[in-house]
């Protein structure tokens, strides 16, 4: 009888079972979230990692299911207020895909989107032979294929658009000055509105002229923790967060490791394996400096930084919160 009652039109259908839910945040996470600077958004590179069950998600499920249905659960955590959309590095997304992402997150959530690698790779990354990439630093392609769909689909939930430049031999682009000039023309030709950030992986490109290029174009330097790049301390000394439109940090890869080795060492990404306390402390100081300068801040952690990206973010949040609760803590200046 009960089964038949459900067939009548006025009988409400039972709710569909959730495919994945959020782990209730700990009391420590809630306390840290209350103390963080309001302009700070922290998160991880993507969200589809089955090993995060019990950390972010309430059950173990497949990577494919998390990719499709895990974002809402991820965004429910009070310390995860941004996420890196990495798949756009390999192929641009349509506005409809971005719109679907935006519908899964609260209004104060923001996405950090990686621009298509065709814009940042001087040689064709998809060709079988080494040949020039005609779309390298092409502002028309960026506007039509990357920026337009992102802005249309994400609307106010769009955060930084990141141009990541993998290591480039300077002579491949005519030298440091030629690269700077071409990049400045590219950034200057982009439409107003989005926050553009540039992540370098070639130390030679980070010189005394770099801050002037950023100031001229309104772009932000993406401070990155990666063995291929200049150490974070040096980046922060050359490019002061006080003069950036926003603080953008990507904590990517532990020193001495390659991505494949880090992946093999850290999977399933459910715990801190190689703690990097020095980077955590320096990022925390930069976040507080950005707060003093009343700049928004975005911090993205990768699983390959310490072993588990959400755990890295949770520890970073606790460190920042302790300083906010006790401004007299002189370890900030150490």
């Amino acid at each position: 009888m009960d089964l038949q009652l459900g067939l009548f039109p006025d009988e409400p259908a039972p709710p569909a079972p959730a495919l994945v839910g959020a782990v209730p945040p700990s009391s420590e996470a809630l306390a840290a979230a209350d103390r963080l600077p309001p302009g700070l958004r922290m998160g991880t590179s993507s969200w589809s990692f089955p090993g995060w069950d019990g950390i972010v998600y309430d059950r173990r499920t497949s990577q494919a299911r998390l990719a499709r249905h895990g974002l809402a659960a991820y965004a429910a955590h009070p310390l995860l207020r941004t996420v890196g959309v990495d798949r756009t590095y390999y192929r641009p997304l349509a506005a409809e895909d971005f719109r679907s992402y935006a519908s899964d997150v609260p209004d104060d959530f923001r996405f950090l989107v990686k621009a298509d690698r065709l814009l940042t790779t001087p040689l064709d990354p998809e060709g079988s032979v080494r040949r020039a990439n005609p779309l390298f630093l092409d502002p028309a392609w960026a506007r039509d294929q990357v920026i337009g769909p992102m802005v249309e689909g994400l609307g106010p939930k769009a955060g930084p658009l990141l141009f990541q430049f993998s290591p480039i031999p300077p002579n491949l682009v005519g030298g440091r000055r030629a690269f700077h000039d071409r990049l400045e023309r590219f950034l200057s030709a982009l439409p107003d509105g989005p926050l553009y950030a540039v992540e370098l992986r070639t130390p030679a490109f980070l010189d005394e002229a770099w801050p002037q290029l950023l100031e001229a174009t309104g772009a932000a330097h993406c401070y990155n923790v990666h063995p291929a790049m200049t150490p974070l301390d040096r980046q922060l000394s050359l490019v002061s967060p006080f003069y950036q439109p926003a603080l953008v940090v990507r904590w990517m890869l532990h020193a001495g490791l390659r991505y494949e080795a880090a992946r093999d060492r850290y999977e399933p990404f459910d715990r801190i394996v190689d703690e990097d306390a020095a980077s955590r402390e320096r990022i925390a100081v930069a976040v507080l400096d950005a707060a003093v300068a009343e700049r928004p801040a975005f911090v993205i952690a990768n699983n390959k930084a310490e072993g588990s990206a959400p755990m890295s973010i949770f520890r970073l949040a606790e460190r920042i919160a302790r300083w906010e609760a006790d401004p007299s803590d002189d370890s900030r200046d150490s």
Side-chain angles (χ1 to χ4, degrees):
M1 184 66 175
D2 291 339
L3 292 175
Q4 293 179 2
L5 288 175
L7 300 176
F8 288 97
D10 57 350
E11 184 75 13
L19 294 173
V20 62
V23 169
S26 66
S27 58
E28 292 82 4
L30 291 170
D34 285 341
R35 295 194 185 104
L36 295 179
L40 170 62
R41 290 182 172 86
M42 297 189 293
T44 65
S45 291
S46 191
W47 62 88
S48 54
F49 298 98
W52 293 358
D53 65 302
I55 302 172
V56 176
Y57 304 117
D58 66 353
R59 70 198 70 180
R60 187 81 170 204
T61 189
S62 68
Q63 183 175 6
R65 178 167 287 184
L66 288 174
R68 292 192 300 268
H69 306 292
L71 181 56
Y74 170 98
H77 198 288
L79 294 178
L80 301 176
R81 301 178 60 217
T82 187
V83 74
V85 182
D86 293 347
R87 60 182 291 202
T88 48
Y89 183 67
Y90 301 98
R91 193 169 304 279
L93 288 185
E96 295 77 35
D97 295 313
F98 283 120
R99 195 173 293 115
S100 176
Y101 288 163
S103 69
D104 283 344
V105 301
D107 290 344
D108 69 343
F109 193 92
R110 298 292 181 268
F111 293 87
L112 185 149
V113 178
K114 288 178 69 172
D116 186 352
R117 61 181 176 168
L118 290 175
L119 292 168
T120 58
T121 309
L123 296 179
D124 184 357
E126 299 177 351
S128 57
V129 297
R130 288 171 60 89
R131 61 181 181 183
N133 169 20
L135 296 177
F136 179 59
L137 293 177
D138 183 333
W141 174 266
R143 181 187 63 243
D144 297 339
Q145 301 297 321
V146 175
I147 301 169
M150 182 192 78
V151 172
E152 179 184 347
L154 294 181
K157 296 176 184 178
L161 177 63
L162 178 76
F163 298 100
Q164 177 195 310
F165 292 86
S166 296
I168 300 172
N171 62 356
L172 188 62
V173 288
R176 179 173 54 193
R177 177 50 50 204
F179 173 76
H180 281 192
D181 290 345
R182 187 168 180 182
L183 179 60
E184 182 171 350
R185 291 194 300 271
F186 168 76
L187 293 170
S188 299
L190 299 182
D192 295 334
L195 169 62
Y196 302 115
V198 181
E199 179 176 337
L200 301 175
R201 297 276 179 86
T202 305
F205 292 154
L206 185 68
D207 62 4
E208 290 74 13
W210 183 246
Q212 286 72 46
L213 185 155
L214 298 172
E215 182 178 5
T217 59
H221 175 74
C222 179
Y223 304 89
N224 63 97
V225 180
H226 192 286
M229 189 47 187
T230 303
L232 182 59
D233 273 340
R234 176 66 173 159
Q235 294 178 53
L236 288 162
S237 66
L238 282 172
V239 185
S240 170
F242 284 96
Y243 301 105
Q244 293 296 289
L247 176 73
V248 182
V249 179
R250 294 215 309 153
W251 189 1
M252 299 307 295
L253 181 60
H254 200 278
L257 294 177
R258 294 182 178 272
Y259 271 113
E260 295 78 9
R263 180 197 61 214
D264 295 343
R265 178 173 173 81
Y266 297 152
E267 279 185 330
F269 312 123
D270 58 354
R271 62 191 177 93
I272 300 294
V273 178
D274 295 318
E275 184 176 12
D276 184 1
S279 292
R280 181 170 60 245
E281 292 289 300
R282 201 62 196 91
I283 293 169
V285 172
V287 165
L288 293 169
D289 286 345
V292 170
E294 299 183 338
R295 300 286 192 270
F298 298 85
V299 178
I300 293 288
N302 192 290
N303 282 323
K304 286 84 171 179
E306 295 185 302
S308 175
M311 297 297 292
S312 293
I313 291 297
F314 299 164
R315 291 191 180 187
L316 175 62
E318 290 170 2
R319 186 64 181 116
I320 296 168
R322 287 202 303 273
W323 269 328
E324 288 288 81
D326 183 13
S328 65
D329 184 352
D330 60 5
S331 65
R332 176 179 171 182
D333 299 321
S334 61

